[in-house]
Amino acid sequence: ENAENMYFFSELALTLNEPEERVAPTDSRLRPDQRLMESGRWDEANVEKQRLEEKQRAVRRRREAEAVEALEEGEDYEGYIPLWFERKVDALTGELICVYKGGYWEAKDKQDWSVCPDIF
């Protein structure tokens, strides 16, 4: 009903980005630029999007500098390691896949997000 007023999205598609309580602070539904956009505050959303992108670039530059420094000192550098997933080779396809390694649901139950980086 009223699909023409909702860009012909299905009911499921319309609810996918709805905020949910008690999720990790890194949950994409918490992106401040997206929240501003969805409330129709386009100019503020664009400013916030630029801020977030620059923050991401700064983190990337820092990691690249750390990698170079480790290389120069002859040390290993692991780089970014995802919190709840690990990369593995799929035994059937030989493709690299991400496999859940645990921890998210336990952190959610305890509401202990101390391991999450500040990405927003």
Side-chain angles (χ1 to χ4, degrees):
E1 190 175 327
N2 285 331
E4 67 278 2
N5 296 327
M6 301 293 179
Y7 307 102
F8 292 96
F9 286 175
S10 68
E11 188 173 337
L12 172 65
L14 288 170
T15 62
L16 286 176
N17 202 42
E18 286 295 315
E20 180 182 326
E21 294 182 9
R22 302 176 52 86
V23 296
T26 53
D27 191 295
S28 64
R29 292 170 290 184
L30 300 177
R31 279 183 47 168
D33 61 324
Q34 195 162 314
R35 302 272 45 107
L36 287 166
M37 182 188 68
E38 290 185 355
S39 64
R41 297 162 61 186
W42 297 100
D43 292 338
E44 293 171 75
N46 284 326
V47 169
E48 184 62 17
K49 181 176 179 280
Q50 293 298 318
R51 183 192 70 80
L52 289 174
E53 289 174 348
E54 184 50 43
K55 186 174 184 174
Q56 292 169 355
R57 288 183 194 106
V59 169
R60 186 192 69 230
R61 287 190 297 265
R62 187 193 80 235
R63 287 183 181 147
E64 288 171 350
E66 289 172 353
V68 168
E69 184 178 326
L71 182 65
E72 289 172 351
E73 295 176 5
E75 298 174 3
D76 289 333
Y77 180 74
E78 290 189 30
Y80 175 74
I81 300 172
L83 294 175
W84 296 302
F85 293 88
E86 59 187 338
R87 289 185 172 170
K88 292 189 173 185
V89 175
D90 185 287
L92 296 175
T93 66
E95 294 181 19
L96 193 60
I97 60 172
C98 293
V99 178
Y100 179 64
K101 65 181 179 182
Y104 175 81
W105 298 109
E106 295 81 2
K108 185 172 183 177
D109 286 342
K110 294 177 187 173
Q111 283 297 286
D112 178 8
W113 304 114
S114 58
V115 297
C116 291
D118 174 21
I119 64 170
F120 301 133

